[in-house]
mmCIF file with all atom_site columns, all heavy atoms in Angstrom:
data_model
loop_
_atom_site.group_PDB
_atom_site.id
_atom_site.type_symbol
_atom_site.label_atom_id
_atom_site.label_alt_id
_atom_site.label_comp_id
_atom_site.label_asym_id
_atom_site.label_entity_id
_atom_site.label_seq_id
_atom_site.pdbx_PDB_ins_code
_atom_site.Cartn_x
_atom_site.Cartn_y
_atom_site.Cartn_z
_atom_site.occupancy
_atom_site.B_iso_or_equiv
_atom_site.pdbx_formal_charge
_atom_site.auth_seq_id
_atom_site.auth_comp_id
_atom_site.auth_asym_id
_atom_site.auth_atom_id
_atom_site.pdbx_PDB_model_num
ATOM 1  N N   . MET T 1 7  ? 148.106 106.054 40.126 1.00 52.00 ? 7  MET T N   1
ATOM 2  C CA  . MET T 1 7  ? 147.283 105.099 40.851 1.00 52.00 ? 7  MET T CA  1
ATOM 3  C C   . MET T 1 7  ? 147.893 104.744 42.201 1.00 52.00 ? 7  MET T C   1
ATOM 4  O O   . MET T 1 7  ? 147.190 104.640 43.217 1.00 52.00 ? 7  MET T O   1
ATOM 5  C CB  . MET T 1 7  ? 147.118 103.817 40.013 1.00 52.00 ? 7  MET T CB  1
ATOM 6  C CG  . MET T 1 7  ? 146.233 104.009 38.773 1.00 52.00 ? 7  MET T CG  1
ATOM 7  S SD  . MET T 1 7  ? 146.156 102.545 37.733 1.00 52.00 ? 7  MET T SD  1
ATOM 8  C CE  . MET T 1 7  ? 145.389 101.411 38.860 1.00 52.00 ? 7  MET T CE  1
ATOM 9  N N   . LEU T 1 8  ? 149.212 104.603 42.206 1.00 46.00 ? 8  LEU T N   1
ATOM 10 C CA  . LEU T 1 8  ? 149.886 104.297 43.472 1.00 46.00 ? 8  LEU T CA  1
ATOM 11 C C   . LEU T 1 8  ? 149.736 105.442 44.456 1.00 46.00 ? 8  LEU T C   1
ATOM 12 O O   . LEU T 1 8  ? 149.489 105.235 45.658 1.00 46.00 ? 8  LEU T O   1
ATOM 13 C CB  . LEU T 1 8  ? 151.365 103.995 43.214 1.00 46.00 ? 8  LEU T CB  1
ATOM 14 C CG  . LEU T 1 8  ? 151.678 102.675 42.500 1.00 46.00 ? 8  LEU T CG  1
ATOM 15 C CD1 . LEU T 1 8  ? 153.160 102.604 42.154 1.00 46.00 ? 8  LEU T CD1 1
ATOM 16 C CD2 . LEU T 1 8  ? 151.285 101.495 43.381 1.00 46.00 ? 8  LEU T CD2 1
ATOM 17 N N   . LEU T 1 9  ? 149.883 106.652 43.955 1.00 44.00 ? 9  LEU T N   1
ATOM 18 C CA  . LEU T 1 9  ? 149.731 107.821 44.846 1.00 44.00 ? 9  LEU T CA  1
ATOM 19 C C   . LEU T 1 9  ? 148.298 107.933 45.355 1.00 44.00 ? 9  LEU T C   1
ATOM 20 O O   . LEU T 1 9  ? 148.054 108.274 46.524 1.00 44.00 ? 9  LEU T O   1
ATOM 21 C CB  . LEU T 1 9  ? 150.126 109.098 44.086 1.00 44.00 ? 9  LEU T CB  1
ATOM 22 C CG  . LEU T 1 9  ? 151.630 109.248 43.765 1.00 44.00 ? 9  LEU T CG  1
ATOM 23 C CD1 . LEU T 1 9  ? 151.862 110.463 42.873 1.00 44.00 ? 9  LEU T CD1 1
ATOM 24 C CD2 . LEU T 1 9  ? 152.439 109.374 45.060 1.00 44.00 ? 9  LEU T CD2 1
ATOM 25 N N   . GLU T 1 10 ? 147.339 107.591 44.477 1.00 53.00 ? 10 GLU T N   1
ATOM 26 C CA  . GLU T 1 10 ? 145.936 107.656 44.891 1.00 53.00 ? 10 GLU T CA  1
ATOM 27 C C   . GLU T 1 10 ? 145.644 106.630 45.985 1.00 53.00 ? 10 GLU T C   1
ATOM 28 O O   . GLU T 1 10 ? 144.949 106.920 46.971 1.00 53.00 ? 10 GLU T O   1
ATOM 29 C CB  . GLU T 1 10 ? 145.058 107.410 43.666 1.00 53.00 ? 10 GLU T CB  1
ATOM 30 C CG  . GLU T 1 10 ? 143.567 107.620 43.954 1.00 53.00 ? 10 GLU T CG  1
ATOM 31 C CD  . GLU T 1 10 ? 142.722 107.415 42.705 1.00 53.00 ? 10 GLU T CD  1
ATOM 32 O OE1 . GLU T 1 10 ? 143.280 107.348 41.581 1.00 53.00 ? 10 GLU T OE1 1
ATOM 33 O OE2 . GLU T 1 10 ? 141.490 107.324 42.876 1.00 53.00 ? 10 GLU T OE2 1
ATOM 34 N N   . ARG T 1 11 ? 146.178 105.424 45.771 1.00 53.00 ? 11 ARG T N   1
ATOM 35 C CA  . ARG T 1 11 ? 145.996 104.391 46.790 1.00 53.00 ? 11 ARG T CA  1
ATOM 36 C C   . ARG T 1 11 ? 146.677 104.789 48.109 1.00 53.00 ? 11 ARG T C   1
ATOM 37 O O   . ARG T 1 11 ? 146.161 104.534 49.191 1.00 53.00 ? 11 ARG T O   1
ATOM 38 C CB  . ARG T 1 11 ? 146.576 103.060 46.300 1.00 53.00 ? 11 ARG T CB  1
ATOM 39 C CG  . ARG T 1 11 ? 145.757 102.419 45.186 1.00 53.00 ? 11 ARG T CG  1
ATOM 40 C CD  . ARG T 1 11 ? 146.421 101.125 44.744 1.00 53.00 ? 11 ARG T CD  1
ATOM 41 N NE  . ARG T 1 11 ? 145.669 100.506 43.642 1.00 53.00 ? 11 ARG T NE  1
ATOM 42 C CZ  . ARG T 1 11 ? 146.061 99.396  43.035 1.00 53.00 ? 11 ARG T CZ  1
ATOM 43 N NH1 . ARG T 1 11 ? 147.171 98.776  43.420 1.00 53.00 ? 11 ARG T NH1 1
ATOM 44 N NH2 . ARG T 1 11 ? 145.335 98.913  42.045 1.00 53.00 ? 11 ARG T NH2 1
ATOM 45 N N   . TYR T 1 12 ? 147.822 105.407 47.962 1.00 49.00 ? 12 TYR T N   1
ATOM 46 C CA  . TYR T 1 12 ? 148.551 105.845 49.161 1.00 49.00 ? 12 TYR T CA  1
ATOM 47 C C   . TYR T 1 12 ? 147.757 106.923 49.919 1.00 49.00 ? 12 TYR T C   1
ATOM 48 O O   . TYR T 1 12 ? 147.697 106.912 51.151 1.00 49.00 ? 12 TYR T O   1
ATOM 49 C CB  . TYR T 1 12 ? 149.925 106.375 48.746 1.00 49.00 ? 12 TYR T CB  1
ATOM 50 C CG  . TYR T 1 12 ? 150.777 106.835 49.913 1.00 49.00 ? 12 TYR T CG  1
ATOM 51 C CD1 . TYR T 1 12 ? 151.390 105.913 50.765 1.00 49.00 ? 12 TYR T CD1 1
ATOM 52 C CD2 . TYR T 1 12 ? 150.940 108.196 50.166 1.00 49.00 ? 12 TYR T CD2 1
ATOM 53 C CE1 . TYR T 1 12 ? 152.159 106.342 51.836 1.00 49.00 ? 12 TYR T CE1 1
ATOM 54 C CE2 . TYR T 1 12 ? 151.710 108.629 51.235 1.00 49.00 ? 12 TYR T CE2 1
ATOM 55 C CZ  . TYR T 1 12 ? 152.326 107.690 52.067 1.00 49.00 ? 12 TYR T CZ  1
ATOM 56 O OH  . TYR T 1 12 ? 153.083 108.123 53.134 1.00 49.00 ? 12 TYR T OH  1
ATOM 57 N N   . ASP T 1 13 ? 147.125 107.803 49.161 1.00 54.00 ? 13 ASP T N   1
ATOM 58 C CA  . ASP T 1 13 ? 146.300 108.850 49.805 1.00 54.00 ? 13 ASP T CA  1
ATOM 59 C C   . ASP T 1 13 ? 145.100 108.237 50.524 1.00 54.00 ? 13 ASP T C   1
ATOM 60 O O   . ASP T 1 13 ? 144.750 108.647 51.634 1.00 54.00 ? 13 ASP T O   1
ATOM 61 C CB  . ASP T 1 13 ? 145.823 109.836 48.738 1.00 54.00 ? 13 ASP T CB  1
ATOM 62 C CG  . ASP T 1 13 ? 146.966 110.707 48.203 1.00 54.00 ? 13 ASP T CG  1
ATOM 63 O OD1 . ASP T 1 13 ? 147.986 110.821 48.930 1.00 54.00 ? 13 ASP T OD1 1
ATOM 64 O OD2 . ASP T 1 13 ? 146.824 111.240 47.090 1.00 54.00 ? 13 ASP T OD2 1
ATOM 65 N N   . ILE T 1 14 ? 144.472 107.246 49.836 1.00 55.00 ? 14 ILE T N   1
ATOM 66 C CA  . ILE T 1 14 ? 143.322 106.587 50.474 1.00 55.00 ? 14 ILE T CA  1
ATOM 67 C C   . ILE T 1 14 ? 143.762 105.865 51.751 1.00 55.00 ? 14 ILE T C   1
ATOM 68 O O   . ILE T 1 14 ? 143.088 105.919 52.777 1.00 55.00 ? 14 ILE T O   1
ATOM 69 C CB  . ILE T 1 14 ? 142.675 105.589 49.486 1.00 55.00 ? 14 ILE T CB  1
ATOM 70 C CG1 . ILE T 1 14 ? 142.065 106.346 48.308 1.00 55.00 ? 14 ILE T CG1 1
ATOM 71 C CG2 . ILE T 1 14 ? 141.612 104.745 50.189 1.00 55.00 ? 14 ILE T CG2 1
ATOM 72 C CD1 . ILE T 1 14 ? 141.577 105.443 47.186 1.00 55.00 ? 14 ILE T CD1 1
ATOM 73 N N   . TYR T 1 15 ? 144.909 105.211 51.635 1.00 53.00 ? 15 TYR T N   1
ATOM 74 C CA  . TYR T 1 15 ? 145.444 104.501 52.815 1.00 53.00 ? 15 TYR T CA  1
ATOM 75 C C   . TYR T 1 15 ? 145.724 105.482 53.952 1.00 53.00 ? 15 TYR T C   1
ATOM 76 O O   . TYR T 1 15 ? 145.394 105.217 55.119 1.00 53.00 ? 15 TYR T O   1
ATOM 77 C CB  . TYR T 1 15 ? 146.725 103.762 52.413 1.00 53.00 ? 15 TYR T CB  1
ATOM 78 C CG  . TYR T 1 15 ? 147.444 103.105 53.573 1.00 53.00 ? 15 TYR T CG  1
ATOM 79 C CD1 . TYR T 1 15 ? 146.979 101.913 54.126 1.00 53.00 ? 15 TYR T CD1 1
ATOM 80 C CD2 . TYR T 1 15 ? 148.586 103.702 54.125 1.00 53.00 ? 15 TYR T CD2 1
ATOM 81 C CE1 . TYR T 1 15 ? 147.626 101.322 55.192 1.00 53.00 ? 15 TYR T CE1 1
ATOM 82 C CE2 . TYR T 1 15 ? 149.239 103.112 55.187 1.00 53.00 ? 15 TYR T CE2 1
ATOM 83 C CZ  . TYR T 1 15 ? 148.760 101.922 55.723 1.00 53.00 ? 15 TYR T CZ  1
ATOM 84 O OH  . TYR T 1 15 ? 149.410 101.344 56.784 1.00 53.00 ? 15 TYR T OH  1
#
Side-chain angles (χ1 to χ4, degrees):
M7 290 175 63
L8 289 173
L9 290 173
E10 187 178 347
R11 289 179 182 177
Y12 181 75
D13 289 339
I14 294 172
Y15 174 77

